[in-house]
Amino acid sequence: MPAEPDGVVPSQGIRSMLADGAITVAEPLVPGQVQPASLDVRLGREAYRVRASFLPGRAALADRLADFEMHRIDLAGGAVLEKGCVYVVPLVEGLALPPDVSAVANAKSSTGRLDLFTRLITDRGAEFDRIEAGYAGPLYAEISPRSFSVLVRPGMRLNQIRFRRGLAVLDDRALRALDARERLVGGAAHISDGLAFSVDLALDGAVGWRAKPHAGLIDLDRTGHYDPLDFWEPVIARHRRIILDPGAFYILVSREAVHVPPDYAAEMAPYLAMVGEFRVHYAGFFDPGFGHAGAGGGGSRGVLEVRCHEAPFALDHGQVVGRLVYERMAERPDILYGREVGSNYQGQGLKLSKHFRAG
């Protein structure tokens, strides 16, 4: 048989991995779990409140839980994960990867926009969100709500996994050639270790949202339900500048409209820490078809989840805050991000998570 092509595994390849047992499931898949270049993974039926975040190192995670577990929580009837606490949740999905397939995980878009810090853990894992080629074993989510307490239930999908064979990342030369063919941003592309993007602080009215420190509970099953003003404060720019407060969480938007052609996937990477005391990277996957006119996405902006660290920081309009790293797909996926998979953020501008009412 011919070797499988290098690149990010597309939707049809993920279905093949499920059929072959490379991805295992304790319960049948539900519609929408398989995305164009990733698989949504689901929370199991119980959670462990732990006293600290940890990695299992050379052990199975279950063998390390006794060192950190405070109590167990049954998620079956819905359970509150409280702001400022750390939880570990076994996932419904597990893996038995082939020796040439590795994986990387990330929070889903709605998860990141709620400042719901979640990372994937494997047995004997030395890093969060990284899965070595050939890994066989269970998967866990570490969940730490930062801004809002949330109500969760079994089967909820907070994380997603992207699988890849070989080297798939485009270097700057290949990225410039792709931009010349496909036009990756609305204006001139600034390419250096990926495609740079900047922040838009010249919008009419609010240029972003800042999470309120003492807001209520969010039920993650409720979409279009909550009044944004109960949870967020509008951010107004003065002279196209805002001051980020230490410890605060913001939703901003990129100045550039972003395009991910159907044969490629992208991931948001944090910009160099030396440019400022803030982080822009929570939910970083951009699927094939994001911002693609043929998939209903012309003019799609990148939403930026921003947390400021130790010192107040002045952010100006057009300041570079991050970069997109593009990867080749092993083959074009049979579904694209956008209307055909019910994507919530195609064609977006400044937009909160799907749980909040628009307008």
Side-chain angles (χ1 to χ4, degrees), residues 10 12 33 35 51 55 93 108 123 133 143 171 192 225 227-229 260 264 294 302 308 320 334 341 345 353:
Q12 62 270 30
Q33 261 191 270
Q35 297 290 316
R51 59 190 175 89
L55 283 165
E93 287 71 28
K108 289 178 60 65
D123 281 347
I143 304 170
D171 61 20
S192 178
H225 176 78
D227 184 339
L229 294 178
V260 183
Y264 297 86
C308 186
V320 172
D334 60 4
V341 294
Y345 306 116
S353 77

Side-chain angles (χ1 to χ4, degrees), residues 108-116 147-148 199-201 203 206-212 228 231-236 242 244 248-254 279-283 302-308 315 345 348-354 356:
K108 289 178 60 65
S109 294
S110 294
T111 307
R113 295 182 199 202
L114 289 175
D115 197 18
L116 188 54
S147 289
F148 314 117
V199 64
D200 191 346
L201 299 180
L203 301 173
V207 299
W209 298 91
R210 171 182 160 144
K212 289 187 173 181
F231 295 83
W232 302 91
E233 298 170 346
V235 176
I236 306 298
I242 62 174
L244 302 177
F249 179 76
Y250 299 84
I251 297 294
L252 304 172
V253 69
S254 72
R279 177 189 176 192
V280 183
H281 177 58
Y282 286 87
V303 165
L304 312 175
E305 298 119 10
V306 179
R307 180 175 293 283
C308 186
L315 199 59
Y345 306 116
Q348 70 183 355
L350 176 65
K351 188 173 183 180
L352 295 172
S353 77
K354 62 186 179 181
F356 298 97

Side-chain angles (χ1 to χ4, degrees), residues 163-198:
F163 303 93
R164 60 166 68 90
R165 286 185 177 87
L167 297 176
V169 174
L170 273 62
D171 61 20
D172 285 350
R173 181 177 179 181
L175 195 56
R176 291 188 185 97
L178 178 62
D179 177 62
R181 296 194 307 271
E182 299 280 0
R183 196 175 184 190
L184 301 179
V185 290
H190 300 283
I191 295 173
S192 178
D193 293 326
L195 178 68
F197 58 86
S198 61

Side-chain angles (χ1 to χ4, degrees), residues 23 27 35 52 63 112 135 137 159 168 178 240 251 281 283 285 336:
I23 302 169
E27 300 174 15
Q35 297 290 316
D63 295 336
Y135 173 76
N159 306 64
L178 178 62
R240 305 205 300 181
I251 297 294
H281 177 58
F285 287 164
L336 295 178

